[in-house]
Structures are given as C-alpha cells and as structure tokens.
Amino acid sequence: MRISTPSRTIAFFITLGALLVAAAIALNVSWIVFHWRQVVPLVFGIIVFAAIIAGLVLNTIFLVREIRRNEQQDSFLNAVTHELKTPIASIRLYLETLERRQIEEPQRREFYQIMLQDTDRLLNTIEEVLKAGEVRHTTKTHDFQPVELGALVREAVELGRIRHRLPPEALQITAMPTEEAIVMGNPDELRTAVMNLLDNAVKYSGPEPQIAVGLRLPDLDSARLRISDHGVGIPQGELKRIFRRFHRVHHASGVKGTGLGLFIVRAIVRRHGGDITARSAGEGKGSTFMLRLPRVHRA
Ligand code: ADP
C-alpha cells in the first residue's frame, strides 16, 4: 500500500484549490461575456462568483494550515514520547540490575546517580510541556517585581556550567554593564528563558561548546542580552520558524528535544514587553540569540 506523505497531501490540496479557483474564474469570465448586456444578472453573477472564489481560497488556506498543524503535533508527540520513554527505560534497567545482582557500593552509587539524572530529565520534559500550555494562556503581570538582570544572567551562566559540566572558558560572560539592569518581571520566568537559551546553545554546539553571553544597556530604556555559539547554526529560512510551537530544524534531529523551548522563551519575553530574534550565518556557522527587555530605573 502506498501511503501519501503529508507534503504530498498539501500539494494535492493546493493543486485542487488552484484548479477550482481557475474553473470559477473561467466560468465568471464566460458569464460576463455572455451577459454583458443584462446589467442586473451580470452584477449579481459577478458578486456570487467572487464570493465562491473567496470561499475556495479561504478553504484551501484553512486546509493547508490544518495539515501543517497535524504534522507538527505528530512530530511533537513522537518527540515527547521518546523523551519520556528513554529515561523510564533506563531507570527500569538499573532497577532490575540492582534487584537481581549483588552490586558493589561504589557502582550502586553510580547507578543511583544515573537514575537521578534520568528522573531530572523526565521532570524537565514534563515541566516544559506544562509551561508551554501555561504561557499560552497567561497574560497576567500582577506578580511582576524589580529583577536585576545582571545578577540573574550571572547565576544562569554559573548554573549552565554546573549542569553541563563545562569549564568557564566554554561558557563565558563577555559583556556586563557597570550599572544595574532592572527589569520589571517574574524572576522565575526570566530565569527559565535565559536557561532555555543557554541549554540550547550547549545542546546544538557539539562536543566542544564555545558560548559567549553579553548583557548590554544600549539606551536608557532597554537591556539587550546576546547569547552566541559556534554550533550547528540555523538555515536562513528557519530563523523565524524556530520560535513556533513544536518546530524543530531537520539538521538538528539527532539532538533530543520537543520544539517547545524557544516557543516558551518568546512567550515569556513578549509578556515582559520585550522581543527576541535569532541570527545565523548558516548551517555549521553558529547562532546568536538576541533578547531585548524594557528596563526601569530605581526611584
Ligand atoms: P528543542 O531544542 O526542544 O528542539 P527549541 O524550541 O528549544 O526546541 O528549539 C527549536 C529548534 O531551533 C531546535 O530544534 C533547533 O533546531 C533550533 N535551535 C534552537 N537553538 C539553537 C542553537 N543555539 N543553535 C542551532 N539551532 C538551534
């Protein structure tokens, strides 16, 4: 049996839509040619045909969008299932080994460490999925408080080095303002956003990450955080799409992920009145993420 791929399905609907629109236009033109002397049916016919054509175009756009969304949800489900299954399978294996065999104390400790890491990975995936659902629906700003971005970035970098076992030169702070960078916001969310960007920079950098983090105050009202790496890079056409929910770039498919991280980052940054953009000279040439947040001044 031949299974039609999603892109083939989209091509089919686009062709069908285009053919129907062409047929409707041809009918419309012949109607005008045959009835050009009868003003009332002519005007009526043109309006009805225009409505039919508009309906067809809208219908095609809607169908194509739905197919795309389904595709993305499928790949998201696959990614999440994989992210949940792998650590559970690993924990199970270690538990079975511990149950069946007499294990020396040092090795037993090592097993416990691995199982703890696996449970962390499970928790991270679950938190990411929950957070993605949450950020879509929250617009509240009543929990905002002054947050010093410089301290937050320093902490995040420190945590990133510990989490990924990196030497200081692999994850460096290259610029930090001398004055305070105060942002009105939720510190946990801002930390999540910065950590997601740092985790990605490490994840998509291969075995030897070289990451630079710079915080600057370009003017009185904003703070700009720049995180750049020398990793796999992002193709030009993908620079905007990577912020969409579930969107992952093919070349990075060897790296595990759910396609939710950048979506969460963008939602958080927007809720704080800022914006985020990505740049890359192309595949294999590293990536730079620039985050701008509005800042305030202490009275
Ligand atoms: P995930 O990492 O779980 O796939 P994200 O939403 O964090 O999801 O990122 C979306 C996609 O953007 C990733 O799949 C990856 O292809 C690309 N990407 C994100 N950060 C980087 C980076 N620093 N370098 C290269 N590609 C990146």
Side-chain angles (χ1 to χ4, degrees):
M1 195 174 73
R2 232 177 82 208
I3 298 169
S4 64
T5 58
S7 45
R8 238 183 242 154
T9 323
I10 293 182
F12 172 75
F13 278 114
I14 292 176
T15 318
L16 182 67
L19 286 176
L20 288 174
V21 170
I25 291 173
L27 269 176
N28 199 352
V29 172
S30 46
W31 175 274
I32 294 169
V33 170
F34 289 122
H35 297 84
W36 67 275
R37 277 172 208 280
Q38 296 151 287
V39 178
V40 177
L42 183 68
V43 172
F44 179 72
I46 289 176
I47 292 172
V48 172
F49 274 123
I52 293 173
I53 292 169
L56 278 172
V57 171
L58 279 179
N59 198 33
T60 313
I61 293 173
F62 173 79
L63 278 175
V64 170
R65 278 215 186 133
E66 275 308 297
I67 293 170
R68 286 242 161 89
R69 196 171 302 166
N70 274 346
E71 261 177 69
Q72 286 181 336
Q73 270 169 0
D74 275 357
S75 62
F76 164 71
L77 267 183
N78 285 341
V80 169
T81 315
H82 176 83
E83 279 297 282
L84 295 177
K85 207 174 141 191
T86 318
I88 290 178
S90 154
I91 293 172
R92 196 189 156 88
L93 192 76
Y94 284 108
L95 282 177
E96 277 174 1
T97 318
L98 282 169
E99 196 195 18
R100 282 201 203 128
R101 286 206 229 133
Q102 278 297 334
I103 309 255
E104 297 288 317
E105 189 54 26
Q107 203 178 9
R108 181 185 290 269
R109 283 188 179 284
E110 193 190 319
F111 281 12
Y112 288 144
Q113 271 309 316
I114 297 173
M115 285 196 283
L116 276 175
Q117 280 166 11
D118 282 332
T119 45
D120 279 349
R121 189 170 152 193
L122 271 177
L123 270 178
N124 279 344
T125 307
I126 293 167
E127 266 165 21
E128 204 163 64
V129 175
L130 289 178
K131 189 87 204 161
E134 201 184 293
V135 290
R136 281 184 78 200
H137 301 115
T138 11
T139 49
K140 65 176 196 294
T141 53
H142 62 79
D143 58 346
F144 279 13
Q145 62 189 69
V147 181
E148 211 280 295
L149 210 55
L152 189 140
V153 169
R154 268 189 229 107
E155 262 174 48
V157 166
E158 200 50 49
L159 188 63
R161 284 181 190 148
I162 297 172
R163 191 183 276 181
H164 301 283
R165 297 192 184 89
L166 293 176
E169 62 276 13
L171 175 52
Q172 278 181 358
I173 296 185
T174 49
M176 195 45 81
T178 44
E179 59 177 301
E180 283 186 323
I182 312 280
V183 167
M184 286 306 288
N186 177 318
D188 292 335
E189 288 194 354
L190 290 172
R191 203 169 294 120
T192 302
V194 177
M195 279 316 296
N196 270 347
L197 293 176
L198 290 181
D199 286 344
N200 274 353
V202 178
K203 241 168 54 169
Y204 297 103
S205 272
E208 280 183 21
Q210 245 186 294
I211 300 156
V213 179
L215 180 65
R216 289 194 168 81
L217 307 177
D219 51 55
L220 280 176
D221 308 319
S222 55
R224 194 164 292 163
L225 179 68
R226 194 168 180 272
I227 297 179
S228 50
D229 61 61
H230 289 81
V232 292
I234 302 165
Q236 205 61 31
E238 299 280 353
L239 288 172
K240 287 215 169 94
R241 293 200 204 129
I242 50 172
F243 294 100
R244 289 187 196 158
R245 213 157 46 120
F246 312 141
H247 192 83
R248 305 198 73 219
V249 183
H250 308 302
H251 75 256
S253 58
V255 183
K256 296 174 197 94
T258 53
L260 287 176
L262 289 179
F263 169 76
I264 295 174
V265 175
R266 190 179 63 176
I268 291 176
V269 171
R270 285 191 174 164
R271 201 155 88 76
H272 285 75
D275 58 58
I276 178 160
T277 49
R279 269 195 220 150
S280 172
E283 282 188 64
K285 298 193 174 146
S287 322
T288 301
F289 285 82
M290 270 144 328
L291 194 157
R292 192 196 55 79
L293 284 168
R295 66 183 174 114
V296 295
H297 300 271
R298 287 199 203 271

